[in-house]
Amino acid sequence: MAIKSILCHMANDPRHRDRLELAIALTHRFEAHLNVVYVTSPVSMPPGAAGRAASNIFIQEQTEAAEEKAAAIRTELEERFSKSDCSHEMHMANGDHVKILAEHAHLSDLVVVGQGAPKSSDHVVLHTPEKIALEAGGPVLILPFEAGTWSAEKPLGRKVMVAWKNSKESIRAVRDGLSFLKGADDVHVFTVMTERNQVSGVDIGQYLSLHGVHAEIHADIDSHGRIGEQLRSRADTIGADLIVMGAFGSDSTWKERLFGGVTEHMLAHLERPLLVGH
């Protein structure tokens, strides 16, 4: 799928400018249009705030702080785009974060979000990437919070790892990630050694070849072992700078649908950008 519309989520986390710069770089790379969305409303009440009066005071303080941050973000965006010929639009909205992002994501070919800050961080992150991955209806690029794992100055997707299982989630992720796969220097597909009723690694290699992607197939993942840990180890071995995989899970609550086994592990140990399809 061609990437012609990119959605970048801004937030008040320390890496929002890095995320924006990467989104701008991808917009130029794919000759696309960039939509930048910033949700101004506070996320939630902290556990320590109790009582109606305390709650009202907290909400008022948070609302005022959010308005100040929104004004600062708008100024930052206007200054940045005044120095760029990037095709773009800015959207400032108030309301439920996931709902607003999902509405914009439905008409986006790629959604760029950042991983939430660690719980010990003082920063308030205004999104939940796990939920966006379910609601977007398309590919979501989740960027690790930690510095050093990705950079706007370094082209993303030169060495891509595909975690393959013959399922609608996996093939959706592969199709959605074709723009990255076609531009990669190296593509490595990792699948299980033997898997009943699954398309073999040879067949996914042939599928990619038909789309102009030469991939090296590795059918060496032990399905009886810890697949998430094996995939992380393989990513380290090949030096992958991007992982493409489907978001797997059951069909009950949103958390269980997404947080099933491998996907939960990869998100909990996010060490490099992850492009997921669901």
Side-chain angles (χ1 to χ4, degrees):
M1 180 184 72
I3 296 176
K4 292 300 176 184
S5 177
I6 297 176
L7 170 63
C8 176
H9 177 222
M10 293 291 282
N12 62 327
D13 63 286
R15 302 210 68 188
H16 71 272
R17 185 58 181 263
D18 295 333
R19 189 163 58 252
L20 174 65
E21 292 299 333
L22 179 60
I24 290 174
L26 291 175
T27 301
H28 286 300
R29 175 175 168 182
F30 297 124
E31 298 180 349
H33 178 77
L34 177 63
N35 284 296
V36 180
V37 175
Y38 183 85
V39 184
T40 60
S41 51
V43 181
S44 61
M45 180 82 79
R52 187 168 184 177
S55 299
N56 289 336
I57 292 173
F58 173 80
I59 291 173
Q60 180 62 30
E61 291 176 346
Q62 288 299 100
T63 300
E64 292 175 358
E67 290 174 352
E68 292 177 0
K69 291 173 182 176
I73 288 289
R74 180 182 291 278
T75 298
E76 182 178 347
L77 289 173
E78 289 174 348
E79 290 178 352
R80 177 60 183 89
F81 285 120
S82 69
K83 305 172 184 177
S84 172
D85 59 354
C86 174
S87 174
H88 72 280
E89 292 177 52
M90 296 184 296
H91 306 273
M92 312 291 282
N94 185 61
D96 180 85
H97 292 252
V98 174
K99 181 178 179 181
I100 291 171
L101 287 170
E103 289 174 352
H104 287 279
H106 292 159
L107 295 178
S108 301
D109 300 319
L110 177 67
V111 178
V112 181
V113 300
Q115 179 190 28
K119 292 182 179 179
S120 59
S121 173
D122 293 331
H123 302 289
V124 178
V125 177
L126 305 184
H127 65 291
T128 306
E130 297 84 354
K131 290 186 179 181
I132 301 304
L134 272 183
E135 301 293 338
V140 177
L141 177 63
I142 305 176
L143 302 172
F145 179 82
E146 295 299 330
T149 58
W150 57 275
S151 169
E153 290 75 31
K154 185 169 61 176
L156 180 68
R158 290 306 175 202
K159 185 163 289 190
V160 183
M161 171 179 167
V162 178
W164 173 252
K165 175 181 180 181
N166 186 26
S167 67
K168 60 183 177 63
E169 291 89 354
S170 279
I171 194 58
R172 176 66 180 270
V174 168
R175 287 172 178 157
D176 287 342
L178 278 174
S179 292
F180 285 99
L181 295 171
K182 289 179 179 180
D185 297 326
D186 293 295
V187 176
H188 295 260
V189 178
F190 287 88
T191 187
V192 297
M193 298 175 185
T194 58
E195 198 166 18
R196 187 177 300 173
N197 298 325
Q198 299 291 319
V199 174
S200 69
V202 173
D203 290 338
I204 182 59
Q206 182 182 39
Y207 174 85
L208 289 171
S209 180
L210 292 172
H211 287 275
V213 178
H214 173 71
E216 186 173 342
I217 310 299
H218 308 267
D220 62 354
I221 300 296
D222 182 2
S223 61
H224 299 292
R226 296 182 177 180
I227 295 179
E229 291 184 2
Q230 294 178 67
L231 291 174
R232 289 170 54 214
S233 175
R234 303 300 192 279
D236 286 338
T237 299
I238 67 171
D241 66 353
L242 176 66
I243 297 177
V244 175
M245 65 177 291
F248 302 103
S250 62
D251 293 322
S252 50
T253 67
W254 76 263
K255 219 169 189 179
E256 291 170 340
R257 287 203 306 270
L258 183 65
F259 280 5
V262 178
T263 309
E264 178 182 15
H265 181 90
M266 299 300 284
L267 286 170
H269 302 86
L270 197 62
E271 299 161 334
R272 63 201 76 225
L274 182 67
L275 182 69
V276 296
H278 177 78

